[in-house]
């Protein structure tokens, strides 16, 4: 009986795994009927080349055609993003020397979103 | 018989000796899940259920530049605390299945420097959540007898990405070393050799784990990982056991963005003293892990000590 439960549990895990594996990365733009996507006017990093342990300021300027309030989600595969909102800092340790990608997703309160990425190079 | 035991240990060591010539390790602790507990034991007996609860506190206060300990140029320290639950059930004389999962709390402090005015600031990060889950099947190749007291078990399994690798703080995603999971499915190969010397109240065992990590949706892949533990246990009394040994962990560099990441990879040698109280259907283990030697690639924050405790129950169903 116990091992049947064990195998059932394993089956559930594998099902979750394969389902999760089919999830696609979120699209660059997504909107709902009657609601416009936020628009990213500009995105810049200063500086574009940063020494290990130093920070780069990253700022995004966005607006919503419907004047909905906006929220910001920042993502990177490696390194640290410090802060939140429309302006953050990016820093990375020795692991992450090279060109890294920082992505911001701007969303309104009705689910429409727009993403944009910028590259920052970490140097020794 | 003793020489046969030595032969088995050498066979278990051989892959590691060969691989250690060219490989390096990822910077932090084993990614996504624990490798203690049931992953360092032989099989559960037929119709027996092992239930283990453990706590591991991993202090990362040592920074190495290759094999030299240095003051961390970025002022980094970290603490990883993991609560684990494991279940193992023996479905026959030779086969058992193990599942391990838990909850981790990862904290890191680092000093960053402004590129504008060169001012410094201490930043604290924290990520917590359910870890990935490891499922391992074990097959006992050599069954111990009263005369031989030799046990050899092999196994294979997966580490499933149940824990999140997309944890955020106020909309900002945390760095991968602070995520509870890795977002990838790993393949595991495992082996355990045990030899008892009953008349000497002594036993030795060797434990080997190879992890082939998968790639997550970010395209991040942790380096392949090899862990070998060589341990001895001495019975002070019928209930009290002291243990000691060495753990060697070795991993290749992490990979992301079309490149192997610098300052990931190395080899880690640790000493593991421990104390076990065993009575009837339960045992309590306390253990400590201290570094003996490191040889990392580049500059890495590394484990300075681990303390852990495990309460293990055995139910004969």
């Amino acid at each position: 009986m116990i091992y049947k439960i064990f195998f059932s549990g394993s089956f559930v895990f594998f099902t979750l795994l394969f389902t999760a594996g089919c999830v696609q990365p979120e699209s660059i733009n997504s909107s709902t009927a009657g609601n416009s996507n936020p628009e990213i006017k500009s995105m810049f990093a200063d500086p574009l080349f940063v020494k290990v342990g130093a920070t780069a300021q990253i700022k995004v300027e966005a607006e919503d055609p419907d004047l909905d309030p906006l929220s910001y989600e920042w993502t990177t595969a490696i390194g640290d993003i410090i802060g939140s909102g429309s302006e953050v800092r990016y820093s990375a340790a020795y692991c992450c020397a090279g060109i890294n990608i920082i992505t911001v997703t701007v969303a309104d309160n009705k689910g429409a979103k727009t993403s944009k990425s910028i590259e920052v190079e970490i140097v020794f | 018989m003793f020489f046969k035991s030595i032969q088995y240990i050498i066979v278990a060591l051989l892959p590691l000796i060969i691989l250690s010539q060219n490989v390096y390790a990822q910077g932090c602790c084993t990614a996504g899940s624990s490798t203690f507990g049931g992953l360092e034991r032989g099989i559960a007996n037929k119709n027996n259920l092992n239930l283990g609860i453990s706590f591991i506190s991993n202090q990362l206060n040592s920074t190495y530049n290759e094999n030299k300990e240095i003051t961390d140029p970025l002022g980094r320290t970290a603490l990883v605390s993991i609560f684990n639950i494991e279940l193992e059930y023996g479905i026959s004389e030779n086969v058992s299945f193990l599942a391990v999962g838990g909850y981790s709390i990862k904290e890191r402090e680092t000093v960053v420097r402004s590129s504008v005015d060169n001012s410094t600031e201490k930043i604290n990060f924290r990520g917590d959540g359910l870890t990935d889950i490891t499922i391992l099947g074990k097959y006992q190749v050599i069954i111990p007898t009263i005369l031989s007291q030799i046990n050899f078990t092999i196994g294979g399994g997966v580490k499933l990405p149940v824990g999140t690798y997309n944890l955020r703080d106020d909309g900002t995603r945390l760095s991968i070393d602070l995520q509870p999971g890795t977002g990838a499915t790993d393949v595991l190969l495992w082996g355990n050799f045990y030899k008892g010397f009953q008349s000497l109240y002594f036993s030795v065992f060797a434990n080997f784990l190879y992890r082939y990590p998968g790639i997550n949706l970010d395209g991040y892949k942790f380096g392949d990982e090899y862990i070998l533990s060589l341990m001895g246990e001495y019975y002070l009394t019928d209930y009290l056991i002291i243990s000691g040994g060495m753990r060697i962990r070795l991993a290749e560099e992490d990979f992301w963005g079309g490149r192997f990441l610098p300052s990931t990879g190395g080899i880690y040698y640790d000493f593991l003293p421990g104390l076990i109280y065993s009575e009837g259907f339960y045992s309590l283990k306390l253990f400590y892990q201290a570094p003996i030697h490191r040889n990392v690639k580049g500059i890495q924050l590394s484990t300075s000590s681990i303390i852990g405790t495990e309460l293990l129950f055995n139910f004969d169903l």
Side-chain angles (χ1 to χ4, degrees):
Chain A
M1 182 51 123
I2 295 290
Y3 67 85
K4 282 183 181 172
I5 294 170
F6 192 94
F7 282 122
S8 304
S10 303
F11 177 75
V12 170
F13 282 134
F14 278 113
T15 306
L16 284 171
L17 167 68
F18 290 127
T19 307
C22 294
V23 172
Q24 298 299 311
E26 64 187 12
S27 58
I28 292 174
N29 290 294
S30 68
S31 61
T32 51
N35 180 41
S36 303
N37 288 319
E39 293 173 7
I40 294 178
K41 298 294 184 184
S42 67
M43 182 182 186
F44 58 88
D46 180 29
L48 286 170
F49 298 87
V50 187
K51 281 191 173 180
V52 168
T55 58
Q57 296 286 131
I58 302 176
K59 190 173 182 181
V60 62
E61 289 177 352
E63 59 185 38
D64 189 79
D66 308 316
L67 302 178
D68 295 326
L70 298 176
S71 62
Y72 302 83
E73 286 197 344
W74 295 88
T75 302
T76 185
I78 55 176
D80 291 318
I81 299 171
I82 303 160
S84 58
S86 62
E87 187 171 351
V88 297
R89 287 176 293 162
Y90 176 72
S91 182
Y94 300 94
C95 62
C96 313
I99 296 171
N100 302 327
I101 300 166
I102 297 99
T103 301
V104 65
T105 300
V106 183
D108 67 17
N109 59 351
K110 293 168 186 164
K113 52 180 75 172
T114 305
S115 296
K116 193 172 176 67
S117 297
I118 195 165
E119 291 181 350
V120 173
E121 185 166 356
I122 301 291
V123 293
F124 282 108
Chain B
M1 193 59 76
F2 177 75
F3 289 106
K4 268 195 170 179
S5 306
I6 296 295
Q7 282 174 356
Y8 283 124
I9 292 171
I10 289 170
V11 168
L13 274 170
L14 204 56
L16 196 81
I17 294 165
I18 294 165
L19 290 161
S20 66
Q21 306 305 311
N22 296 308
V23 290
Y24 300 94
Q26 64 210 34
C28 181
C29 44
T30 296
S33 65
S34 169
T35 55
F36 290 103
L39 284 163
E40 293 196 319
R41 273 195 295 272
I43 69 164
N45 293 330
K46 184 181 179 183
N47 295 333
N48 274 228
L49 177 71
N50 290 341
L51 167 65
I53 303 162
S54 62
F55 170 73
I56 297 161
S57 176
N58 183 357
Q59 290 270 358
L60 295 101
N61 294 337
S62 304
T63 298
Y64 283 81
N65 182 355
E66 297 181 347
N67 60 1
K68 288 180 184 163
E69 188 168 2
I70 60 170
T71 302
D72 192 278
L74 308 179
R76 292 171 298 173
T77 61
L79 175 66
V80 177
S81 305
I82 305 173
F83 302 88
N84 276 318
I85 294 181
E86 64 171 66
L87 286 169
E88 182 167 7
Y89 183 73
I91 63 169
S92 75
E93 298 291 344
N94 292 331
V95 177
S96 69
F97 283 90
L98 169 74
V100 186
Y103 189 90
S104 70
I105 302 166
K106 299 183 177 182
E107 297 163 285
R108 173 162 53 81
E109 183 178 285
T110 188
V111 175
V112 296
R113 182 178 299 276
S114 167
S115 296
V116 179
D117 59 10
N118 229 21
S119 62
T120 58
E121 183 185 355
K122 193 177 283 184
I123 308 282
N124 291 289
F125 299 98
R126 179 191 161 103
D128 59 272
L130 294 173
T131 67
D132 293 338
I133 289 181
T134 297
I135 294 177
L136 186 79
K138 299 178 181 177
Y139 176 74
Q140 188 170 238
V141 180
I142 300 174
I143 301 171
T145 63
I146 294 172
L147 289 177
S148 77
Q149 294 179 54
I150 287 177
N151 183 329
F152 182 53
T153 310
I154 57 173
V158 289
K159 192 222 64 179
L160 302 174
V162 175
T164 183
Y165 73 110
N166 199 21
L167 193 66
R168 292 175 180 277
D169 179 14
D170 197 15
T172 299
R173 187 187 193 182
L174 295 170
S175 176
I176 194 159
D177 65 308
L178 296 161
Q179 298 289 343
T182 67
T185 301
D186 301 348
V187 175
L188 308 173
L189 296 174
W190 174 88
N192 180 276
F193 172 83
Y194 166 90
K195 167 65 182 166
F197 303 92
Q198 198 169 11
S199 58
L200 300 172
Y201 309 102
F202 184 66
S203 61
V204 292
F205 65 88
N207 199 84
F208 177 72
L209 177 70
Y210 167 67
R211 180 201 300 258
Y212 177 77
I215 302 171
N216 68 20
L217 289 178
D218 284 337
Y220 194 99
K221 182 183 182 298
F222 283 94
D224 292 18
E225 187 178 38
Y226 311 81
I227 298 173
L228 178 71
S229 303
L230 300 170
M231 302 287 293
E233 292 182 345
Y234 180 74
Y235 284 74
L236 293 171
T237 69
D238 287 345
Y239 306 106
L240 199 59
I241 305 160
I242 56 168
S243 66
M246 190 166 75
R247 193 172 212 243
I248 305 165
R249 177 175 164 265
L250 185 154
E252 297 175 4
E253 297 163 283
D254 298 354
F255 187 86
W256 177 83
R259 67 184 194 263
F260 287 99
L261 297 178
S263 291
T264 61
I267 184 161
Y268 306 77
Y269 298 85
D270 290 278
F271 174 57
L272 282 101
L275 191 65
I276 303 161
Y277 179 80
S278 178
E279 186 172 0
F281 77 106
Y282 77 92
S283 66
L284 176 66
K285 180 177 183 179
L286 303 171
F287 63 92
Y288 180 72
Q289 179 175 316
I292 299 171
H293 178 69
R294 303 268 187 264
N295 190 7
V296 304
K297 188 168 189 189
I299 298 174
Q300 292 181 30
L301 180 63
S302 171
T303 293
S304 48
S305 69
I306 291 176
I307 54 167
T309 181
E310 182 188 37
L311 185 58
L312 181 71
F313 296 95
N314 174 257
F315 303 101
D316 188 350
L317 306 175

